[in-house]
Amino acid sequence: MAASQVQPSSTQRQCPAHAPAGHPAVPAPKVGVVLANLGTPDATNYWSMRRYLSEFLSDKRVVDYPSWKWQPLLQLIILTRRPFKSGEAYRSIWNNEKDESPLLTITREQTLKLAEAFRQRHGDRVLVDFCMRYGNPSTQSVLHRLQAEGCERILFFPLYPQYASPTTATANDQAFRALMKLKWQPAIRTVPAYFEHPSYLEALASSVREAYAAADSPPEVLVASYHGVPKRFLLEGDPYHCQCQKTTRLLRERLGWSEGTIQTAFQSQFGPEEWVGPQTVDHVAELARQGRKHIAVVSPAFASDCVETLEEINEEIRDSFLAAGGERFTYVPCLNERDDHIAALLAIAENELAGWL
């Protein structure tokens, strides 16, 4: 099957109700659910990385500098060097068996499991698929295919628990751009931020409990590391920073822990302007200098493990903590294809599908 088509096509064609004799058969009406993730390069070589990074860093939601200023810098300087470094990072975590990034592997598995959960509850009325904002499978190809298979209503589900302009908004933008190219648009709904949903919080808390139970000793501090954004975004009204802080508090309350046992930090700073902080890579080193010997790091903003978690956190940030005097570092994996995570995604999706199913 195609990379984006995680369910074999079961489209049955029939004449519409009240159709005159001789009317051509059309696909039976269905509801589509599309999980949207950030994206992935097709390979780790220079040109694959350059294509991916060019698309990603040319997105005005990600870098909103004027094009006349940003594009020459991006195309002539940044993209001559950065693909080598990014390719090296991806190679350290690449799924060599499937020859793809872990993000693609995990997102496909999440989609398959969610599709089965929908099938058990709603039969063949719902088609579930996934797309990537950058790279393949593209948002346009998936939405157009679902529409061709009879999905007259589509729920678009960005896999970002907290809303941010460079993640949720740009995913939705791409979906709407795809609809602009259709003569017959399906009705579409988008899933809002779900960081407060009880099922999501319980799955997140369970993942922490399991990681702590498996550790040889209890970590002294849990760092909740979120992808950073420029501080300017917060001042311009983006709710991401506030929702991250609230996620940490809700997780702590769900675990029943006292204040100070979970700390919030932000990773992946890029560019010269001030970003929200503290920066995770510096914060964990400071914890080590304060005498903390064992810490854990969890990534509540990522629904799937990816280069930012498997390479940046579990390699770069781990090394920063150990180099500063720390002794033991526990990484709490993302929720990925955990059964309780799939159950949470199902509950969130069904809530947003009210009146459609």
Side-chain angles (χ1 to χ4, degrees), residues 150-169:
C151 291
E152 297 180 357
R153 298 179 170 93
I154 294 178
L155 178 69
F156 192 74
F157 195 154
L159 285 177
Y160 307 111
Q162 302 81 17
Y163 173 94
S165 172
T167 54
T168 312

Side-chain angles (χ1 to χ4, degrees), residues 268-347:
S268 308
Q269 179 172 332
F270 175 79
E273 66 179 302
E274 182 182 3
W275 283 44
V276 296
Q279 294 299 308
T280 307
V281 68
D282 299 326
H283 186 64
V284 299
E286 181 59 29
L287 288 174
R289 287 190 287 268
Q290 292 173 1
R292 308 297 175 90
K293 298 301 182 183
H294 186 186
I295 66 169
V297 177
V298 66
S299 298
F302 295 97
S304 316
D305 273 309
C306 53
V307 70
E308 285 86 356
T309 62
L310 298 175
E311 192 278 333
E312 186 176 0
I313 292 180
N314 210 23
E315 295 182 18
E316 178 185 346
I317 290 170
R318 174 193 290 270
D319 291 346
S320 177
F321 176 69
L322 298 178
E327 296 178 357
R328 293 185 300 282
F329 183 98
T330 296
Y331 172 60
V332 182
C334 292
L335 296 179
N336 296 329
E337 69 272 23
R338 290 171 57 101
D339 288 344
D340 51 4
H341 187 211
I342 302 304
L345 297 180
L346 177 64

Side-chain angles (χ1 to χ4, degrees), residues 227-263:
H227 198 292
V229 293
K231 187 175 181 180
R232 170 171 54 85
F233 284 27
L234 168 64
L235 301 178
E236 291 173 350
D238 192 306
Y240 177 71
H241 180 266
C242 298
Q243 292 184 0
C244 291
Q245 297 285 357
K246 190 171 183 179
T247 303
T248 299
R249 176 176 63 80
L250 293 174
L251 174 60
R252 178 180 61 78
E253 292 173 354
R254 176 72 57 157
L255 290 167
W257 293 0
S258 59
E259 292 190 24
T261 51
I262 308 181
Q263 300 178 11

Side-chain angles (χ1 to χ4, degrees), residues 167-198:
T167 54
T168 312
T170 191
N172 290 339
D173 288 347
Q174 195 74 345
F176 299 141
R177 277 191 285 266
L179 293 183
M180 292 171 65
K181 298 180 180 181
L182 290 174
K183 292 293 185 185
W184 183 2
Q185 291 181 337
I188 192 164
R189 294 176 179 174
T190 60
V191 175
Y194 56 93
F195 67 97
E196 296 178 289
H197 196 281

Side-chain angles (χ1 to χ4, degrees), residues 38-103:
L38 181 73
T40 173
D42 294 324
T44 62
N45 59 67
Y46 174 82
W47 289 108
S48 294
M49 293 304 311
R50 182 175 178 121
R51 282 193 300 272
Y52 172 72
L53 291 171
S54 180
E55 182 182 10
F56 174 48
L57 295 175
S58 294
D59 185 348
K60 285 288 191 177
R61 290 283 195 179
V62 175
V63 181
D64 59 359
Y65 302 147
S67 296
W68 65 266
K69 179 188 295 185
W70 174 242
Q71 282 298 320
L73 177 64
L74 175 64
Q75 300 297 331
L76 300 178
I77 299 177
I78 295 174
L79 291 180
T80 61
R81 297 173 297 179
R82 190 175 178 91
F84 293 108
K85 182 178 180 181
S86 295
E88 182 180 357
Y90 270 96
R91 280 190 292 274
S92 72
I93 64 164
W94 199 250
N95 183 342
N96 292 311
E97 180 181 352
K98 293 182 178 291
D99 192 24
E100 63 189 25
S101 73
L103 179 67

Side-chain angles (χ1 to χ4, degrees), residues 93-171:
I93 64 164
W94 199 250
N95 183 342
N96 292 311
E97 180 181 352
K98 293 182 178 291
D99 192 24
E100 63 189 25
S101 73
L103 179 67
L104 180 56
T105 304
I106 293 167
T107 306
R108 182 188 298 109
E109 185 62 26
Q110 290 170 329
T111 306
L112 286 167
K113 294 183 76 170
L114 183 62
E116 176 59 21
F118 266 106
R119 190 195 65 77
Q120 292 181 9
R121 293 174 64 87
H122 303 285
D124 62 357
R125 299 171 57 201
V126 180
L127 290 181
V128 183
D129 212 329
F130 73 95
C131 67
M132 298 294 179
R133 170 60 184 89
Y134 315 105
N136 296 304
S138 70
T139 302
Q140 177 175 312
S141 67
V142 173
L143 290 179
H144 286 198
R145 184 183 66 78
L146 289 179
Q147 193 266 351
E149 292 199 13
C151 291
E152 297 180 357
R153 298 179 170 93
I154 294 178
L155 178 69
F156 192 74
F157 195 154
L159 285 177
Y160 307 111
Q162 302 81 17
Y163 173 94
S165 172
T167 54
T168 312
T170 191

Side-chain angles (χ1 to χ4, degrees), residues 14-34:
Q14 60 189 29
C15 289
H18 312 298
H23 192 287
V26 297
K30 294 182 178 66
V31 173
V33 175
V34 178

